[in-house]
Amino acid sequence: MSIQLSTPVNRQAAEALSRSKGEPEWLTAKRAEAAELVETLELPKVEKTRIDRWNLSAYGQYKAAQPVNSAAELSEDIQAFVPESQSGLLITRGSGAVFSTLSDELKAQGVIFTDLETAAREHGAIVQQYLHTVVASNEDKLSALHSALWNGGVFVYVPKNVEVELPLQAVLYNDDAEATFAPHVLIVAESNSRVTYVDNVITTGSAAQVAAIHHGVVEVVAKAGAKVSFASIHSMGEEVVDISIRRAALDNDARVEWIIGDLNDGNTLSDTKSVLNGRGSSSDSKVISIGSKKQKLSLTTQAVHWGKSTDSQMITRAVMREEATAIINGITKIEKGATKANGEQTEKVLMLSPKSRGDANPILLIDEDDVTAGHAASVGQVNPEQVYYLMSRGIAKIDAERLIIYGFLAPVVSEIPIDAVREQLQRLLERKLEA
């Protein structure tokens, strides 16, 4: 399928944009190569979801962002997502960063936390070594498009044996539908390091009310013994298409924890994948989503086991209201030679309306005998007997259904180990349920 984008994508345009931003030549070359791939590659084949029918053309134009001196200069609706205390904070608006800070203690330890464009200029050797190594530019048309046009973004680097105690936090927002909103997050955790990264991805203003696209990619590189906790909550408008691809590559005894809250009001393609390369590496994924109106959601969680004695846990819970539809895919792939691997997954969908739809697809692909793996999946509607029981105790029907939904999501929400993320997710859940 050919996508007629609102911004030109070819080698010349990609090179010109890169050079206008003062990017290093190696990055200009990467963008140019990716731009050439856009017309030669096909859209990804998404299970039971026709993304070719979505509006994928409203990519916008690059617009330089105006820096601010403090988060207090931002609008109130954005300030609500800014944490009161943090060791590091990064804020991007539309196509670029507007504010960043990092504690002197972490700087002294060699931690880097800045936007990816700045990192490419100031820490080029590290960025060049890892950029597009986990999510390759030639995977499909969308990955090539992102590689050619990404902007702003986030870069986290944690040196060997360094443990970052408090979360590094980012707010990625867009309030201009004409601005390209395609952040790229690159996290590199050296051996035996530890870091927690949290972001909120938001649209507001015109970007939430007219056709627009958020096209984000996350790459996590966890070296031997490293632990990366990644939490991301998305809350974008009804007219915004959210395409979010997340990948982690894990060495020996490394661990990644994914906490994903897909609470958008528009169509969403969310794909989170852990590649367990090293012996003893592990992955834990928790995904929560609520669909409403005519929203279409494709939520995929994957774990690919290559190393011996690897472990993956995946939990997805989605609530569908009105005419919303969700395709929930859980994919556990255990490759030949990955002996003693263990993969467990659970997908559950709760439907609140006869017109809502949920499809849970647990998939186990096992090429090794000496392993354990299991799955559980369920799709169902709110039990009318539960609603009746609560109403008999004087609770209004709408409040009864809300309590049942909270009970459905609680097993995942309660296990989120980061207090700030759990509280933020709870607030957004309440706001969407009351909409």
Side-chain angles (χ1 to χ4, degrees):
M1 175 190 174
S2 176
I3 303 175
Q4 300 299 317
L5 295 167
S6 55
T7 188
V9 184
N10 54 51
R11 172 176 280 273
Q12 292 73 26
E15 289 178 340
L17 177 60
S18 181
R19 289 184 175 130
S20 72
K21 296 191 289 182
E23 294 180 343
E25 282 300 315
W26 64 263
L27 181 51
T28 301
K30 279 184 178 290
R31 290 190 185 277
E33 292 168 4
E36 287 190 333
L37 291 171
V38 172
E39 287 304 317
T40 66
L41 298 173
E42 299 293 327
L43 287 172
K45 299 296 188 295
V46 182
E47 184 75 19
K48 299 182 180 180
T49 304
R50 293 290 304 273
I51 64 170
D52 57 314
R53 295 178 178 176
W54 295 4
N55 182 1
L56 301 178
S57 63
Y59 220 79
Q61 304 283 337
Y62 173 80
K63 290 189 176 184
Q66 185 65 36
V68 298
N69 294 318
S70 72
E73 296 181 30
L74 302 172
S75 62
E76 290 186 4
D77 52 347
I78 300 302
Q79 287 187 45
F81 292 91
V82 176
E84 295 182 359
S85 62
Q86 67 280 320
S87 55
L89 174 64
L90 173 68
I91 301 174
T92 70
R93 177 187 182 190
S95 302
V98 297
F99 179 79
S100 66
T101 182
L102 182 65
S103 70
D104 292 337
E105 179 183 357
L106 291 180
K107 289 179 182 177
Q109 292 178 292
V111 175
I112 302 170
F113 181 50
T114 185
D115 66 281
L116 188 55
E117 290 183 354
T118 296
R121 292 189 295 267
E122 298 181 359
H123 308 282
I126 305 175
V127 176
Q128 185 177 5
Q129 181 179 354
Y130 295 107
L131 185 64
H132 305 317
T133 60
V134 186
V135 180
S137 302
N138 61 359
E139 284 191 10
D140 51 52
K141 184 184 289 290
L142 292 181
S143 65
L145 181 62
H146 177 88
S147 298
L149 298 178
W150 67 263
N151 50 59
V154 180
F155 180 64
V156 177
Y157 177 79
V158 185
K160 180 179 179 181
N161 297 326
V162 172
E163 296 190 6
V164 180
E165 297 296 336
L166 296 176
L168 301 176
Q169 304 195 54
V171 179
L172 315 178
Y173 80 97
N174 191 23
D175 59 358
D176 184 350
E178 296 180 356
T180 302
F181 190 29
H184 190 105
V185 179
L186 175 59
I187 299 175
V188 179
E190 295 286 5
S191 58
N192 299 312
S193 65
R194 183 186 299 263
V195 65
T196 296
Y197 167 83
V198 178
D199 69 27
N200 281 275
V201 183
I202 312 154
T203 57
T204 184
S206 68
Q209 300 167 0
V210 299
I213 291 176
H214 164 265
H215 189 178
V217 168
V218 175
E219 297 185 283
V220 175
V221 178
K223 297 298 187 66
K227 179 181 178 181
V228 177
S229 296
F230 182 100
S232 185
I233 301 176
H234 289 210
S235 179
M236 286 177 271
E238 186 175 347
E239 298 299 323
V240 181
V241 172
D242 180 9
I243 300 173
S244 295
I245 309 300
R246 309 175 190 91
R247 301 279 187 275
L250 310 178
D251 287 350
N252 291 345
D253 298 314
R255 179 173 176 80
V256 65
E257 296 176 348
W258 300 103
I259 301 168
I260 308 299
D262 285 313
L263 303 179
N264 301 308
D265 292 327
N267 291 345
T268 300
L269 170 62
S270 174
D271 192 322
T272 304
K273 181 178 181 179
S274 300
V275 183
L276 307 167
N277 293 313
R279 177 191 290 270
S281 56
S282 61
S283 168
D284 186 294
S285 305
K286 296 179 176 67
V287 179
I288 284 180
S289 184
I290 296 179
S292 58
K293 297 183 179 178
K294 295 186 178 182
Q295 202 174 350
K296 298 185 183 303
L297 307 175
S298 174
L299 310 177
T300 299
T301 311
Q302 305 183 55
V304 181
H305 296 249
W306 290 95
K308 300 178 186 297
S309 302
T310 49
D311 181 85
S312 66
Q313 304 292 322
M314 300 186 296
I315 299 175
T316 301
R317 294 207 175 192
V319 177
M320 295 296 103
R321 306 168 62 193
E322 298 157 330
E323 298 179 47
T325 62
I327 305 298
I328 312 295
N329 301 308
I331 304 172
T332 301
K333 180 73 166 72
I334 301 181
E335 303 288 353
K336 184 67 176 177
T339 55
K340 306 299 181 183
N342 177 62
E344 305 288 339
Q345 57 169 283
T346 302
E347 295 85 36
K348 292 188 176 183
V349 184
L350 181 65
M351 297 179 294
L352 304 186
S353 163
K355 293 185 178 181
S356 62
R357 292 290 182 270
D359 190 350
N361 304 303
I363 301 170
L364 300 178
L365 305 171
I366 313 297
D367 289 335
E368 178 58 58
D369 296 329
D370 187 14
V371 301
T372 57
H375 66 78
S378 68
V379 176
Q381 295 186 340
V382 171
N383 188 331
E385 293 182 0
Q386 292 178 327
V387 176
Y388 178 79
Y389 174 81
L390 292 173
M391 291 177 65
S392 71
R393 295 299 185 269
I395 299 174
K397 182 178 180 181
I398 188 171
D399 293 327
E401 289 185 343
R402 186 177 291 116
L403 287 172
I404 292 170
I405 293 169
Y406 288 150
F408 175 75
L409 298 176
V412 179
V413 175
S414 63
E415 289 186 11
I416 295 174
I418 308 168
D419 291 342
V421 176
R422 187 169 59 252
E423 293 168 3
Q424 183 72 268
L425 183 60
Q426 189 70 38
R427 286 196 297 271
L428 287 174
L429 285 171
E430 291 174 358
R431 187 171 73 180
K432 181 148 190 179
L433 287 173
E434 292 180 5

